[in-house]
Amino acid sequence: MALTDPTDPKNAPLDAGPITDYGVRHVAIIMDGNGRWAKNKGWPRLAGHRRGAERIKEITRVAPDYGVTHLTVYAFSTENWKRSTEEVLGLMGIFSRYIEKEADALSSLGVRMRFIGSRGRLDGRLSKLMTSIEERTQHNSRLTMTVAINYGGRHELMRAGAQLAKDYAAGLISEEDLLSEAALADRLDTAGLPDPDLVIRTSGETRTSNFLAWQAAYAEYEFTETLWPDFTPARLEEILAGFGNRDRRFGGVKL
Ligand code: IPE
Ligand code: IPE
Ligand code: MG
């Protein structure tokens, strides 16, 4: 009978804590480059998206081993509706299958799933799957995994601002609260989540494409040439290890 190897991360108990803590709590990722990856191989764009979905599964499993407690990934932006119907429907199918296939594993891995973005335009079945996995995993705390689907930072800020105005008009908040950062942050889709410490964008593009406009105001950014379907746990670990050398000042002065 094969003995269980206690040094193999796969066999670590769920409450074992990180193997190497790099001090980065919240990592956000703009998963870009699926289309180019597929094109380089002469394959349809959707093949790149399918491989991209596999990558996120691996990253979710290793993130807690590196001390990450929150992982937020950009899967579909409010601007991505401009793509062909075939690509949009294909992506929505990948999201549904991802949730269906991952639900049991994520629950048992201690992952809490959350979705940000607006649900109105999404297919009813996908939207139901999203709500059901959020409910099912709400008491998990090892890793909070947030997936941004039909998400745009500006749209989120507009919705939060409108809600704030409504609450003020209804007398639910004072004039002082109306002008507080916390009151706005509480009305964002990310309410209750810490701000990201590090935002990674793959594929060599050096823009933020409307991701976490408010929340990433003081995040560190890492832009890597790696295309998302080639992004491995080892690449994540390298980036996290480099984070420790950064001097985060938050506008102050370090003596
Ligand atoms: C990112 O990959 C995934 C989504 C935006 C859904 P892209 O599809 O943008 O890939 P490129 O940028 O065309 O290579
Ligand atoms: C950003 O990538 C959105 C996601 C990764 C989901 P895009 O490929 O849509 O961004 P642009 O068009 O290059 O700015
Ligand atoms: Mg892209």
Side-chain angles (χ1 to χ4, degrees):
M1 188 184 75
L3 283 177
T4 307
D5 175 4
T7 61
D8 183 337
K10 281 203 301 297
N11 301 323
L14 282 183
D15 57 358
I19 294 169
T20 311
D21 188 346
Y22 291 101
V24 190
R25 296 286 164 256
H26 187 174
V27 177
I29 309 181
I30 303 171
M31 309 184 289
D32 197 16
N34 296 349
R36 276 162 284 171
W37 181 88
K39 194 174 175 213
N40 291 344
K41 296 191 173 322
W43 293 348
R45 293 179 61 82
L46 279 173
H49 295 315
R50 277 193 291 272
R51 181 61 66 92
E54 293 302 316
R55 287 304 187 199
I56 192 59
K57 287 185 193 169
E58 294 166 18
I59 296 299
T60 312
R61 278 155 183 74
V62 297
D65 294 339
Y66 304 149
V68 173
T69 56
H70 293 78
L71 178 68
T72 300
V73 296
Y74 204 5
F76 192 90
S77 75
T78 46
E79 289 72 34
N80 287 148
W81 296 104
K82 293 176 194 160
R83 299 188 180 196
S84 72
T85 310
E86 185 194 359
E87 184 168 352
V88 169
L89 289 180
L91 279 164
M92 296 299 156
I94 290 171
F95 300 150
S96 295
R97 280 195 298 280
Y98 170 87
I99 299 173
E100 279 174 329
K101 282 195 184 160
E102 277 284 272
D104 288 340
L106 293 172
S107 304
S108 59
L109 285 166
V111 177
R112 177 177 183 181
M113 279 287 275
R114 255 180 95 146
F115 294 91
I116 54 172
S118 133
R119 303 220 182 155
R121 204 170 159 183
L122 300 180
D123 173 70
R125 191 173 151 269
L126 172 60
S127 178
K128 271 195 198 126
L129 281 169
M130 287 158 70
T131 306
S132 101
I133 195 168
E134 278 179 334
E135 282 169 2
R136 184 170 165 194
T137 61
Q138 63 182 315
H139 299 298
N140 288 348
S141 59
R142 188 162 174 255
L143 176 75
T144 299
M145 154 106 171
T146 304
V147 184
I149 297 184
N150 192 21
Y151 175 87
R154 288 185 176 179
H155 194 248
E156 180 193 37
L157 277 164
M158 274 176 31
R159 287 186 282 113
Q163 188 60 47
L164 199 57
K166 224 170 160 181
D167 290 348
Y168 178 66
L172 296 173
I173 54 167
S174 67
E175 195 172 339
E176 197 187 338
D177 276 348
L178 188 61
L179 293 171
S180 79
E181 288 191 4
L184 186 70
D186 283 350
R187 287 163 180 79
L188 294 170
D189 298 348
T190 52
L193 292 174
D195 284 343
D197 301 297
L198 175 67
V199 180
I200 300 170
R201 182 173 188 148
T202 57
S203 89
E205 309 298 349
T206 51
R207 53 181 172 266
T208 64
S209 300
N210 206 6
F211 190 41
L212 303 178
W214 170 281
Q215 301 86 339
Y218 265 101
E220 297 288 323
Y221 278 86
E222 177 79 19
F223 298 102
T224 171
E225 293 291 327
T226 311
L227 301 173
W228 175 251
D230 289 329
F231 193 86
T232 57
R235 186 73 194 97
L236 174 67
E237 190 171 16
E238 251 169 40
I239 293 172
L240 295 177
F243 181 88
N245 303 323
R246 299 188 185 208
D247 183 13
R248 298 183 82 194
R249 299 181 184 203
F250 300 99
V253 176
K254 278 206 179 142
L255 298 175

